[in-house]
Amino acid sequence: MPGELDRIAQIEDPYELLRAATERLAEAQQEVTELARLRRRLIQDLHAQGMSYAQIASAAGLSRGRIHQIRHTGPAPEGAFLGSGEVTVVTPLRPDPSSDRTYVALDDLTTGKRLEELARTFDLTVSYDHVSLSGEIDLNRPGLLVICGPRMSDAMREAYEKDPVLEWERDEVGWLLRDTRTGDTFRSGQQEDPARPYDIGYLGRLPRPDGQGSILAIAGVHPEGSLGVVNLLTTDIGSLWGQVGSDRFSVVVGTEYDPDTHEPVRTELLTPLYRHDDGAD
């Protein structure tokens, strides 16, 4: 904005000027990215509603060639499934039994890294944070992608409790997910006898504690379940975005994995994509 540019240009301290100009440039670049994403999404939506590209061009006062160019360039609209501008990947810290240090488990690190790589393909800026050993995490921030289940954080347990359809439960066998609409329960294959390389995971967009936004929550009964959820996002994010957009929702994901590498082999949706605004609240 001209006013903001003038304000920055008038800063006398050269280091403060450099800092302010750098910060504003980063903000402007994020704005350009999100405007390009919005523009491409609008063209796709209008075309899906039955308008031809020529009609869209005429109504918008743009050339047909420009509309086609916009349609094929810029960040994909489905990236908004993860957030806009900057997102923060959150993983839990774990205690090191051999020292007083904390660490991020390799499985959590792998899942977080793949989620980061996915976000970057949509031109999102990615930062990191952690759930503390005591389970504390500030959820009242925009763009949170939290890989953590209810066991390791009271804050996340309370967030999951706001899901009107799916519930985390724990019995003498272990953790499970219950679909309160159908009564179906879903367990990890590791709980079976004999055990099999299969896990379940949760994917949902839940309200922040302050009610001023949402968080994207990912959790498996075991790390393989979380990795399976991210694998599903990597392969099917366009379909997920088309069904729920940026609305709140939840779904149970099943993951068959290689018993040697623990890499996902096949993922599947075990429940419908439950939209939380469809009379579920």
Side-chain angles (χ1 to χ4, degrees), residues 195-206:
R196 64 187 178 102
Y198 188 86
D199 201 32
I200 61 165
Y202 177 102
L203 172 64
R205 187 176 291 115
L206 300 170

Side-chain angles (χ1 to χ4, degrees), residues 23 66 68 76 81 87 116 129 150 153 164 170 176 200 206 241 252 258 264:
E23 290 179 353
R66 184 65 175 134
H68 277 282
F81 185 89
V87 297
E116 174 203 354
D129 197 3
S153 169
R170 188 175 188 179
L176 61 103
I200 61 165
L206 300 170
W241 166 252
V252 179
D258 185 300

Side-chain angles (χ1 to χ4, degrees), residues 28 30-42 75:
Q30 284 189 353
E31 291 172 4
V32 168
T33 297
E34 292 309 316
L35 285 171
R37 193 191 315 278
L38 176 60
R39 186 174 60 174
R40 184 174 173 183
R41 172 187 167 190
L42 286 171

Side-chain angles (χ1 to χ4, degrees), residues 77-93:
E78 56 264 31
F81 185 89
L82 300 176
S84 63
E86 181 176 354
V87 297
T88 303
V89 175
V90 179
T91 52
L93 290 174

Side-chain angles (χ1 to χ4, degrees), residues 131-208:
V131 177
S132 71
L133 288 181
S134 61
E136 296 177 357
I137 178 67
D138 178 12
L139 297 177
N140 292 324
R141 294 175 286 165
L144 290 184
L145 313 177
V146 186
I147 304 169
C148 182
R151 179 179 68 86
M152 300 191 69
S153 169
D154 286 343
M156 284 305 298
R157 176 183 54 77
E158 292 171 2
Y160 286 117
E161 288 175 351
K162 294 179 181 177
D163 187 318
V165 185
L166 302 177
E167 292 182 349
W168 283 101
E169 296 182 8
R170 188 175 188 179
D171 59 15
E172 66 280 359
V173 178
W175 287 93
L176 61 103
L177 277 164
R178 181 181 301 276
D179 183 331
T180 61
R181 289 198 182 172
T182 65
D184 292 335
T185 58
F186 305 92
R187 293 182 179 272
S188 169
Q190 296 183 35
Q191 298 173 353
E192 299 177 7
D193 187 13
R196 64 187 178 102
Y198 188 86
D199 201 32
I200 61 165
Y202 177 102
L203 172 64
R205 187 176 291 115
L206 300 170
R208 286 171 17 182

Side-chain angles (χ1 to χ4, degrees), residues 1-166:
M1 296 180 293
E4 185 69 2
L5 176 60
D6 291 341
R7 182 191 68 79
I8 294 173
Q10 292 172 8
I11 297 175
E12 295 183 359
D13 185 306
Y15 303 108
E16 177 64 17
L17 173 59
L18 179 60
R19 184 193 62 79
T22 301
E23 290 179 353
R24 179 57 193 145
L25 183 59
E27 293 171 355
Q29 288 173 338
Q30 284 189 353
E31 291 172 4
V32 168
T33 297
E34 292 309 316
L35 285 171
R37 193 191 315 278
L38 176 60
R39 186 174 60 174
R40 184 174 173 183
R41 172 187 167 190
L42 286 171
I43 291 174
Q44 290 185 1
D45 289 347
L46 290 170
H47 185 62
Q49 293 168 18
M51 292 185 69
S52 69
Y53 294 119
Q55 290 172 323
I56 296 171
S58 176
L62 300 170
S63 70
R64 184 174 179 179
R66 184 65 175 134
I67 292 297
H68 277 282
Q69 181 185 38
I70 293 171
R71 174 174 169 250
H72 293 290
T73 59
E78 56 264 31
F81 185 89
L82 300 176
S84 63
E86 181 176 354
V87 297
T88 303
V89 175
V90 179
T91 52
L93 290 174
R94 301 174 187 268
D96 184 347
S98 62
S99 70
D100 294 331
R101 298 180 179 179
T102 59
Y103 71 101
V104 177
L106 180 59
D107 292 326
D108 294 332
L109 188 64
T110 299
T111 302
K113 184 64 176 177
R114 291 188 184 173
L115 190 56
E116 174 203 354
E117 292 170 351
L118 176 62
R120 291 193 188 281
T121 65
F122 296 112
D123 293 339
L124 295 169
T125 301
V126 183
S127 60
Y128 284 94
D129 197 3
H130 301 290
V131 177
S132 71
L133 288 181
S134 61
E136 296 177 357
I137 178 67
D138 178 12
L139 297 177
N140 292 324
R141 294 175 286 165
L144 290 184
L145 313 177
V146 186
I147 304 169
C148 182
R151 179 179 68 86
M152 300 191 69
S153 169
D154 286 343
M156 284 305 298
R157 176 183 54 77
E158 292 171 2
Y160 286 117
E161 288 175 351
K162 294 179 181 177
D163 187 318
V165 185
L166 302 177

